[in-house]
Amino acid sequence: MSTRIEKDSMGEMSVPEHALYGASTQRAVLNFPISGRAVPREIVEAFAHLKTACARVNNDLGVLDERRTRDIVDACGQILRGLPAHVDGGGFLEHFPVDVFQTGSGTSTNMNVNEVVANLACVAHGQPIGRSKDPAWYGDEADGGSGGVHPNDHVNMGQSSNDTFPTAIHLAAVTAINARLIPAVAKLAAALGEKAEQFDSVVKIGRTHLQDATPIRLGQEFGGYASQMDHALKRLAQATDALCELPIGGTAVGTGINTDASFGRRVAEKLAAELDAPFREADNHFEAQHAKDACVEASGLLKTIAVSLSKIANDIRWMGSGPRCGIGELKLPAVQPGSSIMPGKVNPVICEAVVMVSCQVVGNDAAITMGGMGGVGSVLDLNVAMPVIAANLLDSIGLIAGACDTLTDNCLLGPGEGLQADEARANELIEGSLAMCTSLVPVIGYDASAALAYEAYRTGKTIRELATEQGVVPKERLDELLDPVGMTGA
């Protein structure tokens, strides 16, 4: 592979000739050959938005000239759109190769972005990649002045990795939640609400401790699931509110050294306008940079949503168990053959996938929690587990969104007629349940009702049959007491 020589503060470094990054990035590539998983695309995109806003604010403050501002903004736009055709390779992400498991502050990724932006400025002015630090290549006054776009002096002006990387996490997470997760959860909530209405007349046996309990309408159960997703939307609003507070402006340790006092506020305002979210400067930069509590909070709320999904998916597969030897109150859409050896078998694969997503999100939350803990990630004046927090937080957002869409599209609403109730099976199970005796308690007492249940179990008779034989109450009153619809409330 052809290479070129670049320099950083530590000396010379051989860099792939076509790479838009420089020496700092290449050192990170060599230092962290750990997972083969680069920092998520969403973080790179967030950095592009952030560097754009920072350049514009520096220009507004009079510390960055118009030409360099334009160069940085244009380069960031190229990153967001994809790299120009004359750059070799398979798309811009190959120029952001740093592993997730890198320096805990994300310095390698921040410098990766700085170097790519600076080199894109070189390319835009017909200069070779790698010449961004050469003070001579802007010698033509007509071009706006002398000197190139330096990755540290210009792209990183007024910033530190310690405030840009956590800001990028917040930007990426809020954008992903708003663009993908909230619509997916809302769609699932609506589908569950639709099923709640469709199933409202279907009375079935309730189950507690996996044992027969008093009757419940299938629509009531699904109304509960819909409510879980309504609560999920409120939790996402809480998560985004915490994440909309941005650490930018604190620079190295939260004091704001080497930047204007208004920098953080101004950048947050530009990002709010650009990304259509209520971003704001952190109230306290020491909290915002020394700890990652907002990310831990958001992850905990995502975990709660995952737990809700696991409950919903697991209940659906239990009620759909069978088709002849299980509960069988629900008919799940047949989406694929269920066995390579048992012909005709169809499994609740969509529900299983959702449950597995829930497991992964819980695991992601554990990693984020550890990353945010004092002595592990948050140590004195900086958190040093930010890349892994970023990767897991964004993974959870994407997984939950995908699980919600899959559960909605491939189970609840389709294929075919989607999820259906087997009303005949539900009626059969209700009539055979010993828990039907519960409605007799106010009339004949707990002990007499319990005795009736035990006798019905011993003889194999239904509660209705045995109560009729024994003349516990008049038949008309018995039919009223044992009406399952009347046992389900409003």
Side-chain angles (χ1 to χ4, degrees):
M1 177 172 52
S2 299
T3 61
R4 67 178 191 270
I5 300 299
E6 288 225 13
K7 295 180 180 180
D8 62 9
S9 60
M10 295 184 69
E12 292 186 344
M13 173 61 61
S14 179
V15 179
E17 187 174 31
H18 81 282
L20 285 168
Y21 52 79
S24 292
T25 302
Q26 183 63 20
R27 290 188 195 281
V29 169
L30 298 176
N31 286 337
F32 309 114
I34 296 175
S35 70
R37 288 181 283 145
V39 166
R41 176 192 186 108
E42 296 93 334
I43 294 294
V44 175
E45 292 174 342
F47 261 109
H49 286 294
L50 177 58
K51 296 295 179 179
T52 296
C54 289
R56 286 174 169 157
V57 168
N58 282 322
N59 179 252
D60 293 342
L61 291 169
V63 294
L64 186 66
D65 62 78
E66 289 285 349
R67 192 212 68 226
R68 289 191 176 96
T69 300
R70 184 177 64 249
D71 286 345
I72 292 171
V73 170
D74 288 348
C76 291
Q78 289 178 5
I79 291 171
L80 290 170
R81 294 188 303 272
L83 290 179
H86 61 265
V87 175
D88 295 333
F92 78 83
L93 279 182
E94 71 169 302
H95 299 283
F96 298 94
V98 181
D99 203 275
V100 166
F101 299 95
Q102 53 164 290
T103 171
S105 62
T107 300
S108 296
T109 291
N110 183 41
M111 281 306 304
N112 186 180
V113 175
N114 291 337
E115 290 176 337
V116 170
V117 170
N119 277 319
L120 280 172
C122 288
V123 173
H125 288 276
Q127 297 294 325
I129 297 172
R131 205 177 175 195
S132 61
K133 296 180 181 180
D134 186 345
W137 68 265
Y138 265 127
D140 186 357
E141 291 294 328
D143 198 29
S146 62
V149 175
H150 193 285
N152 299 82
D153 294 340
H154 304 126
V155 187
N156 201 59
M157 179 182 286
Q159 306 152 56
S160 164
S161 301
N162 299 352
D163 65 351
T164 58
F165 198 94
T167 297
I169 297 175
H170 289 211
L171 296 178
V174 169
T175 300
I177 288 170
N178 287 340
R180 188 167 179 216
L181 184 50
I182 288 176
V185 172
K187 184 172 73 169
L188 177 57
L192 289 166
E194 180 182 322
K195 289 299 175 181
E197 292 183 11
Q198 179 183 335
F199 297 154
D200 193 54
S201 63
V202 180
V203 182
K204 61 183 288 294
I205 199 66
R207 295 178 182 85
T208 58
H209 302 271
L210 292 180
Q211 303 297 303
D212 298 351
T214 56
I216 187 173
R217 297 198 302 277
L218 185 58
Q220 290 173 319
E221 289 182 323
F222 273 78
Y225 304 149
S227 181
Q228 284 184 281
M229 289 300 100
D230 288 337
H231 280 80
L233 290 171
K234 294 175 183 176
R235 291 185 174 103
L236 290 175
Q238 181 180 339
T240 53
D241 180 68
L243 292 168
C244 277
E245 188 172 281
L246 303 181
I248 192 69
T251 62
V253 295
T255 61
I257 190 172
N258 287 358
T259 197
D260 189 275
S262 68
F263 186 78
R265 173 183 59 79
R266 289 168 177 255
V267 170
E269 288 172 353
K270 288 190 183 295
L271 289 168
E274 174 70 20
L275 299 175
D276 192 24
F279 293 115
R280 60 195 184 276
E281 183 183 10
D283 291 334
N284 187 298
H285 282 281
F286 307 104
E287 181 275 336
Q289 288 176 226
H290 303 180
K292 284 287 136 300
D293 292 353
C295 293
V296 174
E297 177 185 0
S299 178
L301 293 165
L302 292 172
K303 179 183 72 172
T304 304
I305 298 170
V307 169
S308 296
L309 284 175
S310 72
K311 157 70 173 169
I312 295 166
N314 200 44
D315 280 6
I316 289 173
R317 68 173 175 170
W318 269 93
M319 286 188 280
S321 62
R324 293 187 175 178
C325 301
I327 294 174
E329 293 165 341
L330 287 175
K331 299 176 182 177
L332 277 64
V335 295
Q336 66 183 57
S339 174
S340 61
I341 189 173
M342 292 174 279
K345 194 171 190 293
V346 178
N347 295 332
V349 292
I350 303 302
C351 295
E352 291 167 357
V354 172
V355 170
M356 285 190 285
V357 163
S358 301
C359 294
Q360 183 62 59
V361 171
V362 171
N364 288 349
D365 178 68
I368 292 168
T369 301
M370 291 297 294
M373 287 179 62
V376 181
S378 292
V379 182
L380 298 177
D381 302 320
L382 180 67
N383 180 280
V384 290
M386 287 193 284
V388 78
I389 288 174
N392 282 280
L393 188 62
L394 291 166
D395 188 48
S396 290
I397 293 168
L399 285 173
I400 295 172
C404 287
D405 284 340
T406 297
L407 187 59
T408 301
D409 297 338
N410 297 331
C411 181
L412 296 176
L413 302 183
E417 296 181 344
L419 187 68
Q420 297 296 311
D422 190 331
E423 194 164 358
R425 176 62 172 166
N427 290 334
E428 174 191 346
L429 293 175
I430 281 184
E431 190 61 27
S433 172
L434 302 178
M436 292 288 283
C437 70
T438 304
S439 62
L440 302 177
V441 171
V443 179
I444 66 175
Y446 183 92
D447 290 341
S449 298
L452 198 65
Y454 286 123
E455 179 67 11
Y457 181 71
R458 186 184 66 81
T459 62
K461 296 179 179 180
T462 67
I463 295 294
R464 189 185 304 275
E465 290 170 340
L466 199 57
T468 300
E469 289 177 6
Q470 295 181 5
V472 172
V473 293
K475 185 178 185 307
E476 185 175 309
R477 177 62 171 149
L478 181 65
D479 288 342
E480 180 184 333
L481 290 170
L482 296 183
D483 176 19
V485 177
M487 299 183 198
T488 65

